[in-house]
């Protein structure tokens, strides 16, 4: 393999990767105030920065601080990565963790400690063009002289893009005719869920081992000596050090217990918005300008009051972070604090649906920033990944499920309709509304109307077209007896037509994507699924007709419409 361009030149050209250099921060001096602010923000609950690992490492070297706390699982991750370095190709190591348990921090610590033997990087840019990500990963690997090239250790948050990213990287390697005995990349996938765990996977939970407790207690003594009373506001650290104590979290959120007496003020409303988002959407935030919009109608005598001062007694629960020159991002200090605040608001009479509707009304009326639009979509439509065994928790987003169980069905419908009307081009809100009418309310007329609305908004997406077919299939499946044979046949043909349309769209999607990368199994599964469910609808119809009518022969003739060669793929549940 030929020499590549210098590593320093390559890293400056990468827009989607945050590359950690082997000599990061070496020989560089910092303003002590910046160092102190970085430390305080981290312990309060801000995401870790590379500088924090450097500060901790230097304090340990000069004897002024205890070692950085590495949660159990660190050694296992490092061992797995070293083992995979011996094998060519592309490998993946998975770190599962519950939100707020230090999973991202542990993953970044692994990258920091291996930065001199591997080329550590974090995928921070958009994954909409996965081929561009693959190009940058391979470019990072090939940088420098042939003898200095090293395997890339890439941190990827989530699991959704892993398969496509692996395929695209292999394709890029083949196109560039790269021949190497070492692996080009090891993917470290940081996943906020515990589904499909394997025996060799690392899983961080909301509980500390005895050794972890000892390390946290030692660090607490160090921080108390260094920061004094400020430590009381280090919620990110204190929650873990207390072994995720419910009593500590309740005490930290006690300001919310006065809502019934003080009423819903602007600062309370903002804290409620942030709590709801952070409870149901990982890594969510509001921009500082959006937060200030909540106060724009307040009667402040001085308009230059900072956001922190406006938050008053809520400020210790909220953190503000800034990356590069981007606008400041605001969120709650810890996911468990967000969950507790959301629950306390509900106990005070401000329900989850109330807060969600107020958020839409207050922050989504005018032009909505892309980040907030994505958070709202996730909060209202993101379902749990499909499990081997179907359960009701797979049907809707966690927020919709909680509103359904803690409030009532009408509030779910009202909220989804509001989002459907406010985001009038997005197909996923009417799709969720159609599914709710179909699965929960069994109002198939309304379900069909919203499914058609979703399809009209995005007529080329197979996953949207599938909903209309599922509505027709479920209407057929749940027909009340006695049913007219002609009606049964008409419903079955509508379902078959809908699934055939989905199948055609899925094939078109494969045809489009294959130009950019290898065929994704997701599209293949969708194509087969449309075919298989068409057959299921036909069989269901035949069962009705064979029992009730003499139209079996006529339908047998028509069922050839859905005759397709099928593979042994499991039909995904609706």
């Amino acid at each position: 393999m030929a020499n590549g361009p210098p590593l320093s030149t390559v890293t400056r050209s990468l827009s989607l990767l945050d590359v950690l250099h082997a000599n990061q921060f070496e020989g560089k001096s910092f303003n002590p105030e910046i160092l102190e602010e970085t430390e305080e923000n981290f312990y309060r609950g801000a995401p870790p920065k590379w500088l924090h690992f450097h500060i901790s490492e230097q304090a340990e070297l000069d004897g002024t601080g205890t070692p950085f706390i590495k949660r159990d699982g660190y050694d296992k991750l490092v061992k797995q990565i070293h083992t995979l370095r011996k094998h060519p190709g592309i490998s993946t190591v998975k770190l599962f963790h519950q939100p707020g348990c230090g999973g991202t921090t542990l993953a970044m610590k692994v990258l920091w400690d291996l930065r001199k033997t591997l080329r550590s990087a974090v995928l921070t840019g958009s994954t909409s063009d996965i081929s561009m990500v693959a190009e940058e990963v391979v470019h990072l690997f090939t940088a420098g002289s042939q003898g200095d090239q090293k395997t890339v250790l890439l941190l990827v948050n989530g699991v959704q893009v892993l398969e496509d990213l692996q395929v695209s990287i292999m394709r890029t390697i083949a196109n560039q005719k790269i021949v190497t005995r070492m692996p080009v990349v090891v993917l470290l996938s940081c996943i906020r869920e515990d589904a499909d765990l394997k025996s060799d996977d690392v899983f961080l939970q909301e509980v500390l081992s005895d050794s972890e407790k000892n390390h946290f207690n030692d660090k607490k003594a160090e921080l108390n000596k260094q920061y004094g009373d400020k430590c009381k506001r280090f919620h990110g650290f204190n929650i873990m050090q207390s072994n995720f104590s419910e009593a500590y979290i309740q005490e930290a959120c006690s300001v919310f217990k006065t809502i019934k007496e003080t009423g819903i003020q602007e600062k309370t409303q903002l804290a409620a918005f942030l709590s709801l988002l952070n409870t149901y959407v990982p890594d969510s935030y509001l921009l500082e300008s959006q937060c200030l919009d909540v106060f724009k109608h307040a009667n402040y005598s001085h308009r230059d009051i900072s956001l922190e001062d406006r938050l008053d007694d809520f400020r210790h629960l909220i953190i503000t972070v800034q990356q590069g020159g981007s606008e400041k991002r605001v969120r709650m200090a810890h996911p468990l604090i967000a969950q507790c605040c959301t629950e306390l608001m509900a106990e005070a009479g401000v329900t989850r649906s109330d807060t969600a509707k107020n958020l839409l009304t207050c922050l989504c009326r005018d032009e909505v920033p892309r980040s907030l639009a994505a958070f709202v979509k996730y909060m209202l439509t993101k379902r749990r990944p499909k499990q081997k065994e179907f359960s009701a928790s797979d049907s809707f987003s966690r927020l919709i499920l909680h509103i359904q169980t803690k409030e009532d069905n009408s509030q779910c419908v009202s909220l989804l309709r509001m989002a459907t009307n406010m985001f009038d081009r997005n197909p996923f809100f009417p799709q969720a509304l159609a599914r709710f009418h179909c699965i929960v309310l069994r109002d198939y007329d309304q379900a069909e109307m919203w499914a058609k609305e979703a399809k009209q908004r995005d007529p080329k997406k197979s996953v949207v077209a599938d909903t209309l077919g599922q509505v027709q299939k479920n209407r057929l499946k749940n027909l009340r007896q006695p049913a007219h044979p002609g009606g049964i046949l008409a419903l079955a043909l509508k379902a078959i037509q809908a699934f055939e349309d989905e199948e055609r769209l899925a094939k078109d999607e494969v045809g489009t994507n294959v130009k950019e990368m290898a065929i994704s199994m997701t599209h293949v599964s969708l194509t087969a699924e449309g075919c298989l469910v068409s057959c299921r609808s036909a069989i269901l119809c035949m069962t009705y007709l064979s029992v009730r009518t003499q139209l079996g022969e006529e339908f047998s003739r028509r069922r050839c419409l859905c005759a397709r060669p099928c593979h042994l793929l499991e039909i995904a549940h609706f």
Side-chain angles (χ1 to χ4, degrees), residues 16 59 99 123 125 158 166 178 190 193 214 224 245 257 317 392 445 464 508 512 538:
L16 302 176
L123 175 56
Q166 287 177 304
I178 296 173
C190 207
E193 56 197 42
N214 292 332
N224 282 333
S245 165
K257 298 178 182 179
L317 298 175
D445 289 335
V464 175
D508 290 344
T512 300

Side-chain angles (χ1 to χ4, degrees), residues 18 147 153 162 263 268 275 316 396 462 468 476 483 487 508 514 558 560:
D18 175 18
L153 177 59
L162 282 182
T268 312
S275 295
H316 70 98
F396 304 100
S462 61
L468 181 58
L476 177 64
D508 290 344
V514 76
R558 295 189 176 220
C560 66

Side-chain angles (χ1 to χ4, degrees), residues 356-506:
K357 291 174 185 177
N358 289 336
L359 187 151
L360 292 176
T361 302
C362 184
L363 299 178
C364 299
R365 282 197 173 277
D366 302 320
E367 185 176 352
V368 183
R370 183 179 301 178
S371 58
L372 181 56
F375 297 151
V376 171
K377 174 178 174 291
Y378 188 108
M379 183 170 66
L380 297 183
T381 68
K382 177 66 175 179
R383 292 181 276 164
R384 192 179 71 158
K386 294 176 181 177
Q387 307 298 304
K388 294 179 182 179
E389 297 293 333
F390 174 76
S391 69
S393 62
D394 301 329
S395 300
F396 304 100
S397 73
R398 283 197 307 125
L399 176 59
I400 295 299
L401 290 171
H402 285 174
I403 292 174
Q404 183 186 8
T405 56
K406 297 175 184 292
E407 300 176 42
D408 56 52
N409 292 337
S410 66
Q411 295 302 325
C412 298
V413 172
S414 176
L415 176 57
L416 288 172
R417 288 194 66 165
M418 176 181 282
T420 296
N421 292 332
M422 299 192 79
F423 295 89
D424 57 5
R425 295 184 180 180
N426 189 302
F428 298 106
F429 297 117
Q431 180 188 42
L433 191 53
R435 297 181 71 260
F436 196 87
H437 277 291
C438 179
I439 297 172
V440 177
L441 303 178
R442 295 196 175 184
D443 184 341
Y444 298 112
D445 289 335
Q446 285 289 310
E448 181 177 355
M449 180 186 75
W450 291 115
K452 288 180 176 178
E453 172 66 22
K455 187 177 178 181
Q456 183 177 349
R457 293 184 181 190
D458 196 340
K460 295 184 178 181
K461 194 177 292 294
S462 61
V463 71
V464 175
D466 174 74
T467 303
L468 181 58
Q470 296 286 0
V471 169
Q472 306 293 12
K473 185 198 75 173
N474 278 271
R475 187 199 291 265
L476 177 64
K477 181 180 178 181
N478 294 292
L479 276 176
R480 295 180 180 179
Q481 299 290 351
H484 190 277
I488 296 174
L489 182 59
L491 285 176
L493 292 177
K494 287 173 70 175
I496 291 169
Q497 182 180 3
F499 286 122
E500 286 181 333
D501 186 38
E502 176 204 352
E503 182 183 356
R504 176 184 59 79
L505 292 172

Side-chain angles (χ1 to χ4, degrees), residues 1-5 142-147 149:
M1 187 171 65
N3 293 339
T142 57
S145 61
Q146 186 173 353
Q149 288 160 342

Side-chain angles (χ1 to χ4, degrees), residues 270-320:
L270 175 57
F273 291 164
L274 292 168
S275 295
L276 190 76
L277 284 173
N278 292 169
T279 296
Y280 294 102
V281 187
D283 297 325
S284 56
Y285 57 85
L286 289 177
L287 298 174
E288 186 178 46
S289 58
Q290 293 172 308
C291 295
L292 292 172
D293 282 345
V294 177
F295 295 90
K296 63 184 178 182
H297 300 301
N299 185 24
Y300 285 100
S301 56
H302 300 288
R303 294 293 173 180
D304 57 350
I305 298 176
S306 68
L307 176 62
E308 288 75 13
D309 289 338
R310 296 185 190 211
L311 287 167
D312 194 22
D313 45 355
F314 289 90
R315 75 171 73 185
H316 70 98
L317 298 175
I318 295 171
I319 59 172
T320 302

Side-chain angles (χ1 to χ4, degrees), residues 135-203:
E135 290 280 352
E136 291 201 1
V137 171
V138 175
H139 201 189
L140 180 59
F141 170 75
T142 57
S145 61
Q146 186 173 353
D148 293 333
Q149 288 160 342
K150 298 175 182 177
T151 298
V152 175
L153 177 59
L154 182 66
L155 174 57
V156 181
N157 282 305
V159 71
Q160 293 82 2
V161 301
L162 282 182
E163 182 180 341
D164 288 346
L165 180 57
Q166 287 177 304
V167 171
S168 192
I169 291 173
M170 288 189 290
R171 189 181 186 89
T172 303
I173 292 171
N175 289 341
Q176 296 186 16
K177 299 179 180 180
I178 296 173
V179 179
T180 174
R181 294 182 179 180
M182 70 176 73
V184 171
V185 61
V186 174
L187 302 175
L188 175 53
S189 178
C190 207
I191 307 167
R192 286 183 176 85
E193 56 197 42
D194 56 356
D196 298 325
L197 282 174
K198 298 179 181 178
S199 59
D200 58 343
D201 288 330
V202 176
F203 180 34

